[in-house]
Structure formats: C-alpha cells, structure tokens
C-alpha cells in the first residue's frame, strides 16, 4: 500500500472527522488501509470507499472538553 487515491475529497474528510482526536484520526487511516488490503491484498491505493467504511467503525470518543484541554496544552496555555 503506497498511496491515497487522488480523488478523495480531503476537505470533506476533514469535515467528517471534526471532533476526532489525533489518535482517532490515526486509527481511522489505519483502518481504511486494512479495509483496502482486505479488498485486495496487493492494492496500491486507499480509496474513498475504504475511508467511508472506516468512518462507520471509528467514531469520535474523546469528549469536546478533553479536546479543548489538548488544544490549550499544544498552545502552551
């Protein structure tokens, strides 16, 4: 697996993952890759359908308050 399909709408993916923590986004991407490999072990790309399937599995579990704490920590507040 080497690439993400260039037809994936990154802006839409960004909107769909609003409220996800960094770890949840990593899990989403890894699951999309696993789903692509399940479809075709020799697949060279992760396609939109793989992200769609992963979005049904990986849902945001980090509450908004915790995300705000992480953001403040990142800014040094």
């Amino acid at each position: 697996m080497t690439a993400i399909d260039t037809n994936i709408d990154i802006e839409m993916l960004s909107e769909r993952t609003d409220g996800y923590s960094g770890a949840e986004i990593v899990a989403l991407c890894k699951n999309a890759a696993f789903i692509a490999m399940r479809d075709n072990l020799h697949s060279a790309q992760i396609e939109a359908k793989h992200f769609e399937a992963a979005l049904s599995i990986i849902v945001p579990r980090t509450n908004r308050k915790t995300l705000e704490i992480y953001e403040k920590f990142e800014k040094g507040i």
Side-chain angles (χ1 to χ4, degrees):
M1 182 100 29
T2 59
I4 295 175
D5 185 358
T6 57
N7 294 322
I8 292 177
D9 184 350
I10 299 297
E11 187 68 32
M12 180 276 304
L13 195 55
S14 172
E15 290 172 8
R16 299 264 316 266
T17 56
D18 184 45
Y20 282 58
S21 69
E24 291 162 342
I25 291 173
V26 168
L28 175 77
C29 293
K30 285 183 177 184
N31 270 273
F34 290 141
I35 292 166
M37 287 190 302
R38 234 181 276 140
D39 280 355
N40 177 0
L41 185 59
H42 303 291
S43 178
Q45 289 187 331
I46 303 170
E47 300 174 12
K49 67 181 181 178
H50 304 128
F51 278 105
E52 287 295 327
L55 281 164
S56 69
I57 299 167
I58 306 298
V59 295
R61 296 189 189 325
T62 308
N63 66 40
R64 180 59 65 186
K65 190 71 173 166
T66 303
L67 288 174
E68 289 172 7
I69 291 169
Y70 292 155
E71 289 168 3
K72 286 181 181 179
F73 177 79
E74 179 182 35
K75 294 176 184 175
I77 299 174

